[in-house]
Amino acid sequence: MDLQVCAMGVLYGPKSYENEPHRDPSLIVNSKEPFNAETPPKALVRSFVTPEDLFYKRNHGPIPVIDDPNNYRLEICGLVPGPLSLSLQDLRNLPKHTVTATLQCAGNRRTAMSKVRKVKGVGWAISALGNAVWGGARLHDVLELAGVRQESSKRHVEFSSVDVCKEENGGPYKGSIPLSQAMSPEAEVILAYEMNGKELNRDHGFPLRVVVPGVIGARSVKWLTEIKVIEEECQGFFMQKDFKMFPPTVDWDNINWNSRRPLMDFPVQCPICSPAEGDLVKAGSKMKIQGYAVSGGGRGIERVDVSVDGGKTWQEAQRFQDDKEYIADNPEKCKRFAWVLWELTVELTNSPLEVVAKAVDAAANIQPEDVSSIWNLRGVLNTSWHRVRLNVVPPQSKL
């Protein structure tokens, strides 16, 4: 097997796909090599915490392999007073922190944007995200071990994977966040070795990944080998030539990557997971509408509005987390980096139905009504109102 081997000789970034892990057959596969797949929407809202096997899979190359986790090392280097080389046990010996956080690909709902005009990227529907309980060491604890102190400089913390990426010319996947964010206890950035109380599996970054809550998934780098404090933001492909949002007037002929900053916090999002587009429903019956809502940066969800007449009239949906009452930004009533599940039961009429959902976050951020107004050539951050059209049949019909 042709392998790219990291310096420690134990974590491998394969160049072929012959050693891929087993995946749940119910996943909606958008590409096989590299493997990219999302959760069936109706399964997504069955539980507040997404099972790891159903959690969306986003990859840029073959899944890395580790020979012996006991020999794994994480290098802490760059602009640090005391560079470190840490084992998994060293990280486990630090105070363990858990955070319930939703990770979401910046390209979630890209397919709807591609219907306006062609875009470039994996054809995600509405399920390129998941909510999990992540466990590991706080990043700021690790950086403090290396002598780093809180500061308000422009420095960044860069995360390097062993993942082989064609976009990096066969080099590793990289990303970074501001040092101020990395050192903030409120940001709850962790080096995760657990997901939902279990050891990370290979698809989700075994043996170690960073989890940056409230930020697009591209910054939560998997298969970590190195953390480096650098003078400015990472210059890797996925920070400088991807995951940036341009206006509808920009195309591949006039794009200037340097004119936009890398995406970080994701905006407010609110899709309908059930019912699905084209479902048959009986007039006069009751129907439960379900979905999720989430906003970046730890901003809670203040309201979810649902319409069954295409947006002419609205009703407020019930919001909950972990089957409990949800109150935005109340520490005792919400998990601020996690999604909110919502539902509304309505009585159906004989008229054709168009279900629409939109949310408002705790900072009063709203969603754009029309996807065409936020179209961009990479198809990222589609947070427009989500619409589902249903077919109404007479009450006596058999479904």
Side-chain angles (χ1 to χ4, degrees):
M1 186 182 297
D2 190 8
L3 300 173
Q4 179 188 32
V5 185
C6 78
M8 301 311 298
V10 293
L11 187 59
Y12 305 92
K15 292 183 180 178
S16 69
Y17 291 91
E18 50 189 71
N19 195 15
E20 293 289 279
H22 171 76
R23 276 94 179 208
D24 192 293
S26 69
L27 290 170
I28 301 169
V29 179
N30 293 316
S31 70
K32 291 184 177 181
E33 295 181 357
F35 189 81
N36 291 291
E38 59 188 297
T39 319
K42 291 182 181 180
L44 201 62
V45 291
R46 285 181 191 148
S47 61
F48 175 63
V49 173
T50 311
E52 49 273 24
D53 288 346
L54 291 179
F55 203 96
Y56 83 106
K57 312 289 191 289
R58 177 65 175 113
N59 298 299
H60 296 274
I63 304 301
V65 179
I66 187 166
D67 282 344
D68 185 357
N70 292 322
N71 292 330
Y72 169 82
R73 310 297 293 188
L74 174 67
E75 307 300 324
I76 313 297
C77 57
L79 301 174
V80 300
L84 298 172
S85 180
L86 301 175
S87 67
L88 276 177
Q89 190 57 50
D90 292 332
L91 292 164
R92 289 179 181 274
N93 288 340
L94 292 171
K96 180 181 175 182
H97 182 73
T98 59
V99 58
T100 304
T102 299
L103 295 188
Q104 178 177 208
C105 180
N108 193 26
R109 298 183 61 200
R110 179 178 282 129
T111 51
M113 197 171 280
S114 67
K115 293 176 182 177
V116 175
R117 204 177 349 149
K118 185 178 179 180
V119 297
K120 181 180 179 182
V122 177
W124 299 111
I126 65 170
S127 304
L129 85 170
N131 189 56
V133 181
W134 307 95
R138 286 182 181 266
L139 177 58
H140 73 78
D141 285 345
V142 173
L143 292 175
E144 285 177 356
L145 278 180
V148 179
R149 295 294 177 260
Q150 177 69 44
E151 53 183 292
S152 58
S153 70
K154 293 183 180 180
R155 288 180 177 177
H156 267 233
V157 178
E158 180 182 76
F159 310 107
S160 293
S161 171
V162 73
D163 190 12
V164 175
C165 300
K166 65 178 181 180
E167 296 90 346
E168 294 283 6
N169 298 316
Y173 185 101
K174 294 182 178 182
S176 72
I177 62 173
L179 178 58
S180 57
Q181 183 177 12
M183 295 298 292
S184 169
E186 290 75 24
E188 298 193 71
V189 182
I190 66 169
L191 303 179
Y193 45 75
E194 288 183 0
M195 179 181 183
N196 296 341
K198 303 174 186 176
E199 184 177 72
L200 279 177
N201 66 31
R202 288 178 58 209
D203 262 325
H204 297 301
F206 179 77
L208 192 73
R209 72 175 299 164
V210 63
V211 172
V212 187
V215 169
I216 65 167
R219 312 306 174 213
S220 289
V221 178
K222 298 183 282 188
W223 310 295
L224 276 180
T225 57
E226 181 183 87
I227 296 176
K228 180 186 289 187
V229 178
I230 54 179
E231 203 63 66
E232 58 182 7
E233 68 190 24
C234 170
Q235 295 302 298
F237 179 89
F238 296 100
M239 289 287 288
Q240 301 304 323
K241 295 292 181 70
D242 202 356
F243 298 121
K244 295 184 176 183
M245 189 174 187
F246 291 88
T249 53
V250 172
D251 58 31
W252 294 108
D253 294 325
N254 63 13
I255 191 170
N256 176 5
W257 288 103
N258 294 328
S259 67
R260 293 293 185 275
R261 301 185 66 183
L263 296 176
M264 289 295 179
D265 289 7
F266 49 78
V268 61
Q269 177 77 279
C270 182
I272 301 158
C273 294
S274 179
E277 178 75 21
D279 277 0
L280 296 175
V281 294
K282 287 185 179 182
S285 65
K286 289 187 177 181
M287 177 180 68
K288 181 185 289 186
I289 306 169
Q290 297 174 287
Y292 67 82
V294 64
S295 191
R299 294 179 293 274
I301 299 298
E302 186 64 31
R303 196 176 78 240
V304 172
D305 299 324
V306 179
S307 171
V308 293
D309 55 13
K312 296 176 183 177
T313 61
W314 299 90
Q315 300 178 63
E316 186 173 354
Q318 179 186 3
R319 295 160 295 141
F320 53 93
Q321 286 184 333
D322 239 350
D323 296 323
K324 299 176 183 176
E325 178 190 20
Y326 172 86
I327 300 177
D329 293 348
N330 182 329
E332 297 179 356
K333 296 287 187 179
C334 80
K335 294 177 172 66
R336 64 195 188 99
F337 289 115
W339 65 11
V340 171
L341 299 183
W342 57 263
E343 63 180 45
L344 176 70
T345 299
V346 297
E347 189 164 335
L348 303 178
T349 66
N350 292 310
S351 305
L353 288 181
E354 183 181 42
V355 183
V356 187
K358 61 185 177 71
V360 181
D361 74 13
N365 294 310
I366 61 174
Q367 299 176 243
E369 180 177 351
D370 186 6
V371 63
S372 64
S373 66
I374 53 171
W375 182 94
N376 59 90
L377 75 177
R378 277 292 282 116
V380 294
L381 303 188
N382 176 14
T383 59
S384 59
W385 294 4
H386 188 216
R387 299 172 182 271
V388 170
R389 295 160 188 84
L390 305 176
N391 295 310
V392 182
V393 297
Q396 65 273 19
S397 300
K398 292 184 179 181
L399 299 182

